[in-house]
Structure formats: C-alpha cells, structure tokens
C-alpha cells in the first residue's frame, strides 16, 4: 500500500509547494509512489484523520501552528520539512530582530489585537522532531525527490552538515571573498550544488547554518580578506534570525 | 626521449591539428583566473596562465560521476560504460603532470580503477614550462621537474619551444601537425639557461629535512589545535588539490524508484562525516584531528607506501583556503612552534 501523505503549509508564501509542481517531468512518477491525501495548495479538501507522512512547509508563527504540528507528529510516522521557513524560520524569522508590537502595529494598525496567539517565528524543529529535511529557498526539486525516496525507503536522513565552499570549488567559481565581496557559503549548509555562486551571486545562507560550520574562523577569514566580520552574521540573519532561539 | 624545436608562431598549428583528431583541453581564462576547458579555437589557449582553479584531475576523476545504473527488481547492472573520449590535455605544468603520476599509484596499482584507467589511456599530455608564482613550492619536493608522464613537453625559449618528446605518439603528432626542426647546441644551451632561471625564481624554500620525524615528534603539539581552530572544515583544500583522491560512493533511486544510480563524488577528509562509521563512531570528530590527518597522510602515510610525499607544491590549497592554511605554513609552524 502506498504511504498516505499530507502536505501542509504554515506561514510561508507557498513558494516551495509551487516548486513541487515544477517537478514536471517526474511529478507523475513521484505521485505514483504515494497516496496523496491532502495538499493544502492544490486542493480544497480536508485533512484526513490518518496519514503516514506529513510534509510541512512554512515557519511556526502562531499557537495554532504549534497545535497542528503536535497533531501531525502524533499521527504521522514520518515528518519532513521543506524550505527555509520550515527549516530555519526563514525570512519570517527576521521579525525576531525587531520589537514585535511595533512591527505588528506598523503592518496591521491595531497591533496586538490582530495578533492573538502569535509566536516569535521559528522553525518546525523548535516544536517537534523532524525526520527528514529539504532546506533552501526555494527547495531544489531534485533534492526533494531524493529525500522523499529516502523517506519512502526508510533510509537515514542524510542532510549534509558541511559548508558550501567545497562544491563551489568544483564549479571553478572565483571566490567572492577574493573579490572583496561577502559570501556566506563558508558557513552555510551545502547540498544546493552552489547554484548561486555559480550564477555569480554570493550565497545568502538560505540553507541555514551548516552544523559543522566554524563561525569564529569564518569571522577571522572575513577580516583577513578585508571584509567587515559583523556583516557575516548581519547578512546571515536574512534566513537565520531564529537561530539563537533554537540552537 | 628526444628533442625538436618549433617556432612559437607555429604553435597554433599544433593545437589546431590536434583538434582535428582529439578533444583538446587547455588553460583558458575565467573571470580573471584560469581553468582547463575544451578549446574550440587555438587563440583561447592562455599559455601564460599561472595556475588553474581546479587541477587536471577532473578529466580523469570527475567531481561527480555516475559509475553505473542498476535495475532494482533484478539487481542487475544495466549500464556501466566508461565515458573516455580521445583527448589531449594541453599546457600542463610540471607539478600537475607529477600529480597525475602520484594519482596513478593509487588508481592503477592494486585495485585498478577502470574509470580512471580508461581516461588515462585515452588522454595525451602536452606539458608546458612555467615561471614560479608566489604560492608555488614545487621546488621543495623536486616536482618542478618532470621526466615522464607526458607525450610532449614544451619549454618556452622566447621565440621558440624546446619540445621534449617522451612517447612515440608524442613524436608522431608533433611531426604530423607542426613544422619542427632539429635541436642545435645553442637551443640546448638556451634550454638550460631558461630552466636555471626558472629554478632561481622560487621564493618558498621551506625546509623539509626529515619531515616524517618532525611530524611524528609533533603529533600531540598544540599547534594542531591552533590550526584546527582556524579551519572552517570547508574541504576547499581537498577539492582544488591535484593529489587528493578521496571519493564517496552513494546509490540513489530514480524518481520512479525502479532504477538506481551509483554516483561517485569527490570527498574530503576535512568533512565531519568522512571518518564516521556505524553506531555513530567518528575517528576524527574534531577539526584539529582532521587537519592533522590531511598533513599526516600527505607527508607521511603516502610517503611510507610510495616513497614520495602526496603533494606537488602547486599552491592551489594556499590560494583556496579561506583561513590561509597551507603546507608551507603548517610545516613552518611545526618547526618554529608558532602559527604565522
Ligand atoms: S564564493 Fe562563497 S561558497 Fe564559493 S568558495 Fe567563496 S565563500 Fe565559499
Ligand atoms: S596539498 Fe596544496 S600545494 Fe600540495 S598538491 Fe595539494 S593543493 Fe597543491
Ligand atoms: S580549505 Fe582551509 S579552511 Fe577549508 S578545510 Fe581546508 S584547511 Fe580548512
């Protein structure tokens, strides 16, 4: 029997769910492997009572999200997160850098009133255990398929723990640091194939802090390259402002 | 070995001629640095290159390669053909040719690697003389000279090249594609003057006397912790190194889960999971032990097996390391007890 899957979105712009529809060539193959019971973006149906795999997109920003995640964890044998928002809190976690009352007032006028049940935005694994993750903003469809097939086969999660520079070197990119530009690849989790540096854009850290990153050494590297070391963390906040909250 | 001379202005004839028979790969410019890439026009070739971002090893051991496809249901291999087109690597410096000879010890002795072997056999090597750059230290390992491992080696004598022909094939292709003449006494004298000037050009003269003894004596030195603290464990050093050969092999299934691919990718001993084994054991969990391992393997482990160090002094790691860690600095730190 094909595993029953639900795809759920928390706070996000649904970009990663849209990205899943971009699988195109392989979408039918992938759908053939699973019994897709609920897909928030693509259907108006209701969440079933039972399912085997829960795929979660989006950051946790409300108490409601917390309850939902607890329910998912209780029901599903496997929880998989997709995208930066779910993985690190993503761009939404930038809200942690400002006074939330002021921010809410600026956006919604009435402020705290509309924000009942709100929570400092954070990643899914701050609330529940996550079995498999597909980091990135947006996710890479190839990585998604690979992680999903690992989940289906019951293979161990192999989210990389090293920084990006090695794969960037294999693409023969001239290092941004040597061109006097900030790049976050030296502390960001690899696995994206260094797409951005290869397209001549510095890494912005969307895949989160590499678990084996050496931040202090990275700051020192910035200094030796004539870059402002405080820029490392300031820029890293773009996708990773929730990191102090959880790590 | 025998020798011929060709006029510098005739060199494009050789490249164009080779292109009619082979895929020619040579140094070309990329964003102000250089890479080995396929050549479509002799004018692209930049023989004044200092060094390339990646060494030529990528043409024998690609960073990522599907080594076979298999069918899951019957566990049969469906495709394990090796892609090894006839190719010429043009313009390799002595360090890079020596590096391939060190790789050969690993991939062609004992357990022969059919992928590497097929490409090695289908590739001709045309070497090119160079001048030392700030990061070069091939002189300390004697890899600034190369006596085999190439088909043709061209030494730049200003208006002409002194061509050393190491193989019959090399002699044939030279003769077939470019006007050449016999070597005069004056050519040989000039050759020696050029080589001498080259040897005078090095400014890295790190003392490697009894290096294995130094390494063993300093096995527990706090120097390693200091270097480990500075290291980002990014693996850049291994990727750009012409003599680092470690790889990882992993299987993955196609989206339909019916067929699978076995994929080989470059690996690095600087990665945390490199020495991790079942049950969560990791022989080199901390950074210091990983950096130390890289140097021990290169300058002691390999040496004890093949009587050479596993480094050709190309300086690529020194250029690539964001923390400025390099063999010269590490050896000097062990000697002086201070990281510079
Ligand atoms: S460009 Fe960025 S990712 Fe690439 S090597 Fe440099 S710091 Fe690392
Ligand atoms: S260790 Fe560094 S200098 Fe030695 S061969 Fe490798 S990249 Fe070149
Ligand atoms: S390139 Fe430098 S910082 Fe990166 S792993 Fe190698 S020694 Fe460490």
């Amino acid at each position: 029997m094909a595993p029953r899957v639900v795809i759920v979105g928390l706070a996000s712009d649904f970009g990663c769910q849209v990205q899943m529809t971009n699988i195109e060539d392989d979408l039918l193959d992938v759908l053939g492997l699973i019994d897709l019971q609920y897909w928030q973006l693509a259907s108006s149906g209701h969440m079933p009572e039972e399912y085997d795999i829960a795929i979660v997109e989006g950051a946790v920003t409300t108490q409601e999200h917390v309850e939902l995640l607890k329910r998912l964890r209780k029901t599903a044998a496997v929880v998989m997160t997709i995208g930066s928002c779910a993985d690190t809190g993503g761009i939404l976690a930038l809200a942690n850098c400002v006074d939330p009352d002021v921010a809410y007032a600026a956006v919604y006028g009435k402020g705290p009133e509309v924000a009942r049940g709100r929570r400092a935005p954070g990643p899914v694994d701050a609330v529940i255990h996550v079995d498999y993750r597909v980091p990135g903003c947006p996710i890479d469809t190839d990585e998604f398929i690979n992680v999903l097939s690992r989940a289906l086969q019951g293979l161990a999660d192999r989210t990389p723990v090293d920084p990006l520079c090695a794969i960037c070197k294999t693409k023969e990119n001239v290092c941004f640091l040597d061109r006097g530009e900030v790049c976050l690849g030296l502390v960001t989790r690899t696995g994206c194939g260094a797409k951005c540096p290869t397209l001549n854009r510095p890494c912005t850290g969307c895949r989160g802090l590499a678990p084996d990153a050496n931040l202090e050494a990275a700051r020192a590297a910035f200094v030796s390259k004539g870059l402002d070391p405080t820029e490392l963390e300031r820029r890293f906040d773009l996708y990773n402002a929730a990191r102090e909250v959880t790590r | 070995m025998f020798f011929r001379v060709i006029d510098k202005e005739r060199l494009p004839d050789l490249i164009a001629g080779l292109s009619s028979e082979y895929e020619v790969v040579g140094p070309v410019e990329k964003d102000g640095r250089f890479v080995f890439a396929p050549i479509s026009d002799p004018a692209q070739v930049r023989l004044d290159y200092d060094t390339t971002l990646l060494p030529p090893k990528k043409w024998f051991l690609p960073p990522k390669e599907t080594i076979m496809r298999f069918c899951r249901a019957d566990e049969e291999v469906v495709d394990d053909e090796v892609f090894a087109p006839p190719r010429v690597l043009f313009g390799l410096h002595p360090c890079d040719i020596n590096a391939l000879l060190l790789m050969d010890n690993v991939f062609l002795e004992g357990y022969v690697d059919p992928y590497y072997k097929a490409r090695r056999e289908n590739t001709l090597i045309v070497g090119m003389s160079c001048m030392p750059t700030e990061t070069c230290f091939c002189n300390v390992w004697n890899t600034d000279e190369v006596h085999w491992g190439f088909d043709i080696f061209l030494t730049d004598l200003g208006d002409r090249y002194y061509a050393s022909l190491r193989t019959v094939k090399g002699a044939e292709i030279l003769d077939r594609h470019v006007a050449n003449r016999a070597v005069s006494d004056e050519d040989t004298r000039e050759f020696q003057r050029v080589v001498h000037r080259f040897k005078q050009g090095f400014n890295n003269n790190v003392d490697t006397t009894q290096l294995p003894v130094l390494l063993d004596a300093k096995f527990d030195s706090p120097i390693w912790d200091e270097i480990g603290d500075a290291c980002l464990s990014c693996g850049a050093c291994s990727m750009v190194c012409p003599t680092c050969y470690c790889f990882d092999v992993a299987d993955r299934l196609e989206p339909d889960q019916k067929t699978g691919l076995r994929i080989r990718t470059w690996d690095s001993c600087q990665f945390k999971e490199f020495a991790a084994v079942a049950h969560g054991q990791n022989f080199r969990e901390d950074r210091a032990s990983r950096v130390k391992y890289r140097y021990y393997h290169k300058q002691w482990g390999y040496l004890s097996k093949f009587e050479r160090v596993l480094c050709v002094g190309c300086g690529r790691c020194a250029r690539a390391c964001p923390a400025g860690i390099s063999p010269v600095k590490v050896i000097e730190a062990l000697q002086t007890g201070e990281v510079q």
Side-chain angles (χ1 to χ4, degrees):
Chain A
M1 208 177 57
R4 296 159 298 176
V5 175
V6 295
I7 306 174
V8 181
L10 308 179
S12 71
D13 70 349
F14 293 94
C16 288
Q17 291 188 57
V18 171
Q19 183 76 338
M20 286 166 64
T21 66
N22 289 337
I23 296 173
E24 288 170 3
D25 289 353
D26 298 321
L27 188 60
L28 290 178
D29 273 339
V30 172
L31 290 176
L33 306 173
I34 57 172
D35 173 6
L36 184 57
Q37 298 236 332
Y38 175 74
W39 186 353
Q40 196 172 17
L41 178 84
S43 71
S44 54
H46 290 286
M47 274 270 284
E49 290 291 318
E50 284 181 38
Y51 39 84
D52 305 300
I53 300 179
I55 299 177
V56 185
E57 179 208 66
V60 188
T61 60
T62 65
Q63 199 47 41
E64 224 174 274
H65 290 156
V66 173
E67 304 308 324
L68 173 61
L69 286 176
K70 287 187 174 154
R71 224 164 51 236
L72 291 174
R73 186 69 271 186
K74 238 177 156 172
T75 314
V78 167
V79 173
M80 177 171 152
T81 56
I82 57 166
S84 300
C85 300
D87 187 40
T88 65
I91 294 206
L92 287 100
L94 271 177
N96 291 313
C97 300
V98 294
D99 177 342
D101 287 337
V102 176
Y104 268 85
V107 177
Y108 298 108
K110 292 210 190 88
E113 231 170 273
V114 287
R116 228 175 302 124
R118 86 177 178 209
R119 217 175 163 274
V124 170
D125 73 357
V127 178
I128 57 167
H129 172 73
V130 170
D131 304 295
Y132 297 90
R133 48 181 85 221
V134 186
C137 179
I139 54 163
D140 177 80
T141 53
D142 192 54
E143 187 178 21
F144 171 74
I145 294 173
N146 201 17
V147 174
L148 182 67
S149 42
R150 292 190 74 84
L152 294 172
Q153 308 299 330
L155 298 171
D157 173 42
R158 286 210 47 187
T159 322
V161 301
D162 318 303
L164 202 67
C165 300
I167 197 80
C168 184
K169 293 296 175 208
T170 70
K171 309 279 171 166
E172 300 192 279
N173 299 319
V174 177
C175 180
F176 281 104
L177 305 181
D178 291 335
R179 298 188 249 167
E181 280 184 59
V182 169
C183 178
L184 302 180
L186 68 184
V187 293
T188 299
R189 195 197 286 272
T190 192
C192 56
K195 276 200 202 79
C196 292
T198 306
L199 292 167
N200 207 15
R201 298 275 182 286
C203 171
T204 54
C206 80
R207 292 173 61 87
L209 190 66
D212 197 37
N214 186 348
L215 275 171
E216 210 172 305
R219 277 184 222 111
F222 268 43
V223 172
S224 75
K225 304 277 179 185
L227 297 164
D228 175 1
T230 62
E231 276 295 281
L232 181 76
E233 281 171 82
R234 194 185 72 80
R235 302 238 192 146
F236 205 63
D237 274 348
L238 180 60
Y239 287 101
N240 298 283
R243 67 190 179 283
E244 280 87 3
V245 183
T246 55
R247 289 174 229 261
Chain B
M1 192 141 54
F2 60 104
F3 309 96
R4 302 291 292 177
V5 167
I6 59 179
D7 280 343
K8 206 172 218 182
E9 60 204 27
R10 297 261 60 94
L11 192 72
D13 297 352
L14 178 61
I15 300 172
L18 288 171
S19 301
S20 65
E21 295 178 57
Y22 299 91
E23 177 185 54
V24 178
V25 166
V28 302
E29 201 246 18
K30 182 186 178 187
D31 300 330
R33 299 282 306 274
F34 299 96
V35 296
F36 283 112
I39 305 299
S40 51
D41 172 0
Q44 286 173 287
V45 181
R46 287 286 301 272
L47 292 173
D48 60 338
Y49 80 105
D50 48 6
T51 181
T52 51
L53 289 163
L54 283 185
K57 77 172 174 188
K58 67 175 177 175
W59 296 101
F60 304 97
L61 181 72
K64 184 176 182 185
E65 164 182 30
T66 299
I67 51 179
M68 70 170 194
R69 285 169 189 281
F70 57 90
C71 170
R72 208 174 152 213
D74 54 12
E75 295 183 350
E76 284 294 325
V77 174
V78 289
D79 177 14
D80 62 353
E81 216 180 303
V82 185
F83 181 67
R87 195 177 267 150
V88 177
L89 290 193
F90 197 94
L92 268 57
H93 291 165
C95 59
D96 283 343
I97 298 172
N98 275 308
L100 289 172
L101 295 173
L102 297 174
M103 297 278 272
D104 288 350
N105 287 336
V106 177
F107 288 103
L108 302 180
E109 306 289 325
Y111 294 100
V112 176
D113 186 293
Y115 309 91
Y116 180 91
K117 183 167 183 262
R119 297 194 184 104
R120 200 75 168 96
E121 282 170 354
N122 278 356
T123 306
L124 297 182
I125 306 281
V126 179
M128 176 61 69
S129 62
C130 48
M131 279 311 279
T133 72
E134 215 166 289
T135 44
C136 295
F137 61 103
C138 52
N139 54 323
V140 313
W141 307 129
N142 296 327
T143 45
D144 53 340
E145 282 191 18
V146 64
H147 304 289
W148 62 90
F150 56 85
D151 295 281
I152 305 174
F153 191 93
L154 301 170
T155 302
D156 188 342
L157 303 186
D159 58 347
R160 61 201 189 281
Y161 291 106
Y162 194 87
S164 310
L165 305 170
R166 191 71 182 73
T167 62
V168 175
K169 191 109 202 182
E172 278 171 9
I173 54 174
L174 188 92
D175 227 18
R176 191 148 67 235
H177 296 302
V178 64
N180 58 83
R181 64 168 170 81
V183 168
S184 69
D185 280 353
E186 171 47 27
D187 292 327
T188 303
R189 267 196 300 277
E190 183 59 16
F191 170 81
Q192 283 176 313
R193 273 194 290 269
V194 164
V195 175
H196 191 71
R197 220 177 302 134
F198 162 71
K199 298 216 175 208
Q200 300 291 304
F202 289 93
N203 59 11
N204 284 308
N205 281 305
V206 61
D207 180 8
T208 56
T209 318
Q210 289 289 358
L211 189 55
V213 172
L214 180 70
L215 283 166
D216 270 349
K218 298 286 180 175
F219 193 83
D220 294 318
S221 166
I223 284 289
W224 293 115
D225 299 311
E226 220 177 301
I227 299 171
D229 286 345
C231 172
L232 291 120
S233 306
C234 67
C237 47
S238 315
M239 301 298 124
V240 303
C241 177
T243 59
C244 273
Y245 50 74
C246 286
F247 56 81
D248 191 21
V249 174
D251 290 351
R252 63 165 293 181
L253 291 172
E254 296 273 38
D256 64 7
Q257 315 282 292
K258 290 195 178 89
T259 46
L261 308 172
R262 179 155 295 176
I263 297 167
R264 156 152 88 177
T265 48
W266 288 355
D267 203 348
S268 168
C269 55
Q270 303 309 295
F271 294 156
K272 190 165 189 171
E273 290 168 336
F274 185 85
V277 293
H279 293 284
Q281 294 298 316
N282 192 332
F283 298 112
R284 287 185 290 277
E285 179 107 45
D286 62 294
R287 278 180 233 286
S289 65
R290 284 179 258 158
V291 180
K292 177 157 77 177
Y293 178 81
R294 183 163 191 267
Y295 286 94
Y296 266 79
H297 177 227
K298 283 190 171 296
Q299 280 141 26
W300 194 187
Y302 187 95
L303 176 83
S304 65
K305 210 166 168 198
F306 298 112
E307 295 177 28
R308 305 277 313 179
V309 293
L310 188 60
C311 171
V312 293
C314 71
R316 285 187 180 89
C317 58
R319 289 173 184 240
C321 175
I325 299 166
S326 74
V328 171
K329 277 199 190 169
V330 169
I331 296 168
E332 282 175 350
L334 291 174
Q335 282 161 345
T336 62
E338 258 173 76
V339 181
Q340 290 303 315

